[in-house]
Amino acid sequence: MDEDLIRQEAADEQLINDAFQRLINDYLNSRHRKKVDLITKAFNFARQAHRGVRRLSGEPYIMHPIAVAQIACSEIGLGSTSICSALLHDVVEDTEYTVEDIANMFGPKIAQIVDGLTKISGGIFGGQASAQAENFKKLLLTMSEDIRVILIKIADRLHNMRTLESQPANKQYKIAGETLYIYAPLAHRLGLYRIKSELENLSFKFEHPEEYASIARKLEATSVSRHELFDQFTAPIEEMLTSMGLNYTIKERVKTPFSIWSKMQKKHVGFEEIYDILAVRIIFTPTSKEMEKRECYNIYLELCRIYKCHPDRLRDWITSPKANGYQALHVTLMSKQGNWIEVQIRSERMNEIAEQGLAAHWKYKEGGEYTEDENELNDWLHTIKEILDDPQPDAMDFLDAIKLNLYANEIFVFTPKGEIRTMPASSTVLDFAFSIHTFLGSHCIGAKVNHKLVPLSHRLESGDQVEILTSKSQHVQPSWINFVSTAKAKAKVQAMLRRNSRELQKKGEDLLNEWLQKNGFESTTVIIDQLARFHDQDRRELFFQSLGEKRILLGDEDVDELKGKHKNASNSGGGWRKYVPFVKAKKEEENEKGDDNLFVVPEKFNKKKPIYITEENINQYLFPDCCHPIPGDDTLGFINNKNRIEIHKRACPVANRLKASYGNRILDVKWDMHKTLFFDATIRMSGIDRRGLVNDVTRVLSNQLNLDMRKVLFTTEDGIFDGSIDLRVHDRDEVRAIIESLKQVDGLKEISQIM
């Protein structure tokens, strides 16, 4: 036994030393200042601190910090300060050492980054909504002080995703959901496109393993024909680039399984109908710094002489780079085989910025060596700080406000003086007004766009020149929240509405106290709650606000209610109303009655074990209206506030928020059904209309598949057929079989199931 232990320790030592040597070699090959002694010191310190500890995968724990440092160095391009911080990032959280110890040994900067990483450890979110919002604020606040905190955190998350197999399924869904909801958009916003794609792909792999494997197999099966297309398409391009005297490489870029699956879901099409799986990337060495941009355009002009260019698909991010620094020229060309193929033209510098994002900017500062002290995202970080200054009361609103600006595509708009401003693609006049100044936004009455008068809700387009019109009598309206799309504008509007709401609540409270005193009642919480219930207000604040807005007027009926005169007349608890949401009340009442049958999660429930849904226990779980999962769907469970279990599809938008926010309440769900129960499914189809099409569709469903149709809706306009059919099915396999059968009907082009 002792010999086995010695052998294991020797193997571990070899594994650790090899990994660290690889890190040092990569660091020495970079242009960073060579601080090998400091990195070695951090490694030895972390190795000693984590000695004897292993990860769930069985490998020594120190392998994780080394891997994170490796990603920070090789894949993000960071230097010694970040590498040391990555090596030390778990020391304070997992051992007896403190931030002060780190500061004494490695200096204040490394200690500050390690402290920032420790504050946001264990994922972004804690168990409670308020706690998870607080943790996310810490991440953003520390990030706005030193962007390296989030870059190392992304490296940490990438390694965790690469080693997620060792985690139980419910933990996999939590971590994958959190990654898709926050970390992938953050990586995108920081320009880390390759890392963003890998994070998305790994999340997809763990959440939808069957779909991932299916797409991966199809990509493998079509790889030979794709390579042939690439070779045929690029042969004349290579001749052209060589004749231009350029030093270049041409790369084949294949869409990831996640982006293919996303497009399949969005467009309701199969793998075979995704035509932009292949793209071509030209990376060249400019003859001089001054010629870099001109040579990009020269390559574009020459490409258009070889192939026909798509007139609406030119994307010029050279003249106007994206906010995260991305620069390239994208052009879509028609190949000789009849396929549109996107070509991305980049210099080596542009390519490095595209691969490494923010970190690559440091490489192109003047001078032979470079440091990491520059901060390249001041505008965005300033927006983040503004949102943090006025936090949302609801944690999910807060997260959504931040997330709004993470994935945004950009447009370029001009002020009246010709200054250019970058805005998210869906921005309105009101967003633009708030981006300039809060006063302009809050008093905006409209704008002149390209010298034409437009309303607040007008969506802007690239190249628009915008002049904001204001009035001192204008104030923020509740309807504004519906047509602002930027996080900054939404946060400002909500803050002002909350302030107005507080003023109205105070006014309503004063009116109520005055009325109670006048009618001889005491102002107690019992009496206020009784009146609020009488007017169908479930919260005191809403009741006060309705009083302040004069939407509720107190009168004789309220006096009778407080004196108990309504109790004999009606058991419904309702008297005279200004507005009564009967439907909602009835639905809630029905839900309450059904609660007795539902499974209640006990205190010592094992969340790591999957729950199995059978014909016998299916009524014990809640199936919300957001996604309608059926047997065979990739599903998960969520323990709600009443300790009941909700069942959601893993791809459901509601589930995505739950995974990111309440990860410790997520459960693995498996189906154990035997085709005895029926579930609702809606099949949507569209295509070219012809005589007899509807008859062919119904014949396939009724005669061939022997299915009962519950509702049929067909419409046709300008020769295009659109329809939907509600069916009763046993499981997901049956839905697939129906779709495959319908594909045989001549004229049907798109067939999908509605979620």
Side-chain angles (χ1 to χ4, degrees):
M1 182 62 191
D2 287 343
E3 282 184 19
D4 288 344
L5 197 62
I6 291 166
R7 267 200 299 272
Q8 180 65 53
E9 284 184 358
D12 286 349
E13 287 297 305
Q14 187 65 44
L15 185 74
I16 293 164
N17 289 334
D18 288 350
F20 181 65
Q21 194 54 52
R22 193 160 55 249
L23 170 66
I24 290 296
N25 291 344
D26 280 6
Y27 173 68
L28 289 171
N29 287 330
S30 74
R31 274 176 50 206
H32 284 279
R33 287 175 292 189
K34 305 300 179 273
K35 295 186 177 178
V36 176
D37 291 348
L38 184 67
I39 294 172
T40 307
K41 182 182 173 185
F43 163 66
N44 289 328
F45 181 75
R47 185 188 207 171
Q48 186 57 43
H50 294 300
R51 188 170 291 282
V53 182
R54 291 185 180 275
R55 301 187 84 207
L56 283 178
S57 59
E59 68 179 13
Y61 193 89
I62 187 64
M63 292 299 289
H64 169 64
I66 295 172
V68 175
Q70 182 76 49
I71 293 167
C73 172
S74 307
E75 299 184 50
I76 305 180
L78 298 173
S80 58
T81 304
S82 299
I83 293 169
C84 290
S85 302
L87 288 167
L88 300 165
H89 80 271
D90 279 333
V91 167
V92 174
E93 187 191 1
D94 294 345
T95 72
E96 298 300 312
Y97 291 104
T98 64
V99 175
E100 286 71 29
D101 295 330
I102 303 289
N104 291 335
M105 293 187 72
F106 299 98
K109 180 52 77 176
I110 289 174
Q112 181 197 5
I113 295 171
V114 171
D115 186 34
L117 290 161
T118 304
K119 281 177 183 168
I120 54 171
S121 59
I124 312 169
F125 310 119
Q128 302 302 314
S130 58
Q132 55 97 345
E134 282 307 313
N135 275 340
F136 190 43
K137 283 177 204 170
K138 282 177 190 168
L139 171 122
L140 293 168
L141 282 168
T142 319
M143 167 184 165
S144 60
E145 288 166 16
D146 195 320
I147 200 77
R148 286 172 290 195
V149 172
I150 193 60
L151 292 170
I152 298 166
K153 191 65 192 169
I154 287 170
D156 178 37
R157 176 49 57 112
L158 180 57
H159 185 246
N160 283 335
M161 287 301 297
R162 285 173 177 172
T163 56
L164 201 56
E165 285 95 345
S166 54
Q167 295 284 356
N170 66 320
K171 203 81 179 284
Q172 288 178 353
Y173 304 150
K174 168 202 179 293
I175 294 169
E178 207 175 71
T179 300
L180 266 186
Y181 200 74
I182 294 294
Y183 284 102
L186 272 173
H188 173 87
R189 191 61 181 75
L190 297 169
L192 301 166
Y193 291 111
R194 202 197 52 71
I195 287 176
K196 177 215 71 157
S197 295
E198 189 177 349
L199 288 173
E200 287 174 338
N201 225 29
L202 288 167
S203 298
F204 173 48
K205 179 183 173 183
F206 287 104
E207 291 213 300
H208 304 284
E210 287 180 19
E211 281 99 330
Y212 177 86
S214 169
I215 292 172
R217 277 196 305 273
K218 287 173 181 174
L219 280 174
E220 183 61 35
T222 55
S223 63
V224 173
S225 60
R226 218 170 29 249
H227 291 325
E228 283 176 7
L229 174 61
F230 174 79
D231 291 342
Q232 289 166 4
F233 180 75
T234 55
I237 295 175
E238 287 186 8
E239 282 180 33
M240 175 267 287
L241 291 169
T242 305
S243 68
M244 289 174 74
L246 291 171
N247 185 10
Y248 65 90
T249 55
I250 298 184
K251 291 184 179 177
E252 181 181 357
R253 194 227 66 188
V254 179
K255 242 181 171 37
T256 63
F258 173 79
S259 58
I260 292 170
W261 178 77
S262 298
K263 196 156 190 178
M264 286 165 63
Q265 302 300 306
K266 195 174 173 184
K267 302 267 188 187
H268 303 298
V269 294
F271 176 88
E272 295 73 21
E273 293 163 272
I274 304 292
Y275 296 113
D276 59 345
I277 288 173
L278 173 70
V280 172
R281 192 169 285 159
I282 297 171
I283 302 157
F284 71 96
T285 308
T287 50
S288 68
K289 191 177 176 182
E290 293 72 27
M291 288 294 291
E292 182 188 46
K293 290 183 182 179
R294 184 179 291 181
E295 282 170 347
C296 280
Y297 293 114
N298 287 344
I299 292 169
Y300 161 64
L301 291 171
E302 292 301 320
L303 284 173
C304 292
R305 286 185 183 150
I306 302 172
Y307 294 112
K308 184 170 174 54
C309 167
H310 195 302
D312 301 323
R313 296 290 297 274
L314 175 65
R315 301 285 180 267
D316 183 355
W317 283 299
I318 291 176
T319 309
S320 304
K322 290 188 177 184
N324 56 22
Y326 179 83
Q327 282 185 290
L329 203 57
H330 291 197
V331 56
T332 303
L333 304 170
M334 176 60 77
S335 72
K336 298 284 192 280
Q337 291 74 30
N339 300 319
W340 286 112
I341 296 178
E342 184 180 79
V343 179
Q344 301 167 357
I345 306 164
R346 302 173 179 173
S347 68
E348 284 175 337
R349 178 189 69 84
M350 293 171 189
N351 188 60
E352 203 153 359
I353 289 171
E355 294 290 321
Q356 297 186 337
L358 173 74
H361 285 268
W362 294 313
K363 295 190 176 186
Y364 296 99
K365 298 292 173 186
E366 295 302 318
E369 291 184 335
Y370 56 96
T371 64
E372 301 173 346
D373 298 331
E374 290 86 8
N375 192 336
E376 294 287 340
L377 286 179
N378 286 330
D379 287 347
W380 186 58
L381 293 176
H382 182 66
T383 299
I384 296 292
K385 281 181 174 175
E386 284 191 346
I387 295 167
L388 290 167
D389 288 342
D390 205 340
Q392 305 290 324
D394 183 284
M396 290 312 304
D397 288 348
F398 171 75
L399 283 180
D400 288 343
I402 297 293
K403 200 170 185 295
L404 270 175
N405 279 17
L406 291 181
Y407 259 146
N409 287 321
E410 287 143 345
I411 57 172
F412 304 96
V413 252
F414 296 92
T415 67
K417 292 182 179 176
E419 294 166 9
I420 195 165
R421 293 188 82 90
T422 305
M423 302 286 296
S426 56
S427 294
T428 60
V429 162
L430 197 54
D431 289 307
F432 183 75
F434 273 107
S435 77
I436 295 172
H437 198 281
T438 303
F439 178 86
L440 268 186
S442 57
H443 292 87
C444 179
I445 55 171
K448 283 184 179 177
V449 174
N450 307 326
H451 310 294
K452 288 181 183 174
L453 205 58
V454 296
L456 297 174
S457 56
H458 178 82
R459 286 198 186 280
L460 299 173
E461 294 179 3
S462 256
D464 282 347
Q465 189 168 28
V466 188
E467 180 188 349
I468 299 298
L469 306 174
T470 60
S471 166
K472 287 183 180 176
S473 61
Q474 175 71 297
H475 297 289
V476 173
Q477 307 296 318
S479 61
W480 287 12
I481 208 72
N482 299 321
F483 48 81
V484 286
S485 66
T486 59
K488 178 178 178 178
K490 195 155 267 199
K492 290 293 179 191
V493 170
Q494 285 174 332
M496 288 172 187
L497 289 174
R498 281 198 301 276
R499 191 163 62 241
N500 295 347
S501 167
R502 284 194 292 270
E503 288 169 7
L504 284 168
Q505 284 174 31
K506 181 71 177 72
K507 185 180 174 184
E509 201 172 350
D510 292 343
L511 284 170
L512 177 63
N513 289 334
E514 210 177 288
W515 182 86
L516 288 171
Q517 196 175 354
K518 182 180 161 188
N519 288 281
F521 296 106
E522 276 188 59
S523 179
T524 64
T525 53
V526 175
I527 281 179
I528 294 169
D529 288 344
Q530 188 179 346
L531 283 173
R533 275 196 307 275
F534 182 63
H535 289 278
D536 286 318
Q537 299 287 301
D538 53 1
R539 280 173 43 218
R540 237 175 274 162
E541 296 84 357
L542 292 175
F543 179 49
F544 290 148
Q545 189 169 331
S546 296
L547 286 168
E549 291 171 337
K550 303 285 176 67
R551 288 197 293 125
I552 290 178
L553 303 171
L554 300 171
D556 295 342
E557 288 279 343
D558 298 280
V559 175
D560 291 345
E561 171 66 20
L562 293 179
K563 287 181 176 176
K565 290 183 181 177
H566 288 140
K567 282 180 183 171
N568 301 326
S570 169
N571 291 323
S572 68
W576 168 73
R577 301 282 193 273
K578 285 288 181 190
Y579 43 90
V580 186
F582 286 116
V583 178
K584 184 182 173 191
K586 187 178 177 186
K587 194 171 182 183
E588 284 172 358
E589 197 179 299
E590 285 170 2
N591 287 346
E592 289 298 322
K593 283 179 187 170
D595 272 8
D596 296 342
N597 304 321
L598 297 174
F599 175 70
V600 179
V601 177
E603 198 172 319
K604 292 185 178 176
F605 185 71
N606 186 352
K607 295 176 188 173
K608 290 182 181 178
K609 281 189 175 178
I611 58 169
Y612 287 86
I613 300 178
T614 65
E615 283 88 350
E616 289 74 33
N617 70 11
I618 193 167
N619 290 329
Q620 296 178 12
Y621 304 108
L622 292 166
F623 288 81
D625 292 336
C626 48
C627 59
H628 302 294
I630 65 174
D633 280 332
D634 289 337
T635 45
L636 55 78
F638 169 69
I639 303 170
N640 69 16
N641 292 334
K642 291 185 177 180
N643 281 334
R644 298 335 199 253
I645 297 176
E646 296 177 8
I647 309 297
H648 292 268
K649 287 184 183 177
R650 285 180 218 157
C652 164
V654 173
N656 286 339
R657 298 173 86 199
L658 296 173
K659 284 177 284 190
S661 314
Y662 306 98
N664 58 338
R665 298 199 214 165
I666 298 296
L667 306 171
D668 185 20
V669 169
K670 298 193 184 303
W671 298 94
D672 185 17
M673 308 289 278
H674 306 91
K675 294 186 184 291
T676 58
L677 298 181
F678 283 98
F679 297 84
D680 292 332
T682 301
I683 304 293
R684 183 187 161 277
M685 60 201 82
S686 63
I688 309 301
D689 191 25
R690 62 173 171 80
R691 186 172 292 170
L693 179 62
V694 173
N695 185 43
D696 288 351
V697 168
T698 53
R699 194 175 65 246
V700 165
L701 296 172
S702 299
N703 299 353
Q704 288 183 26
L705 300 172
N706 199 26
L707 292 164
D708 291 329
M709 291 174 281
R710 300 179 64 233
K711 182 182 173 186
V712 178
L713 178 66
F714 294 128
T715 59
T716 181
E717 189 175 344
D718 297 330
I720 301 298
F721 160 88
D722 209 4
S724 65
I725 302 178
D726 290 0
L727 301 162
R728 305 278 275 170
V729 297
H730 289 112
D731 53 28
R732 171 66 46 215
D733 288 341
E734 211 162 278
V735 173
R736 289 194 192 103
I738 292 166
I739 290 173
E740 286 306 311
S741 297
L742 287 172
K743 281 181 179 176
Q744 310 309 313
V745 176
D746 185 35
L748 286 188
K749 298 296 181 189
E750 287 188 12
I751 309 162
S752 61
Q753 189 207 352
I754 297 174
M755 184 182 270

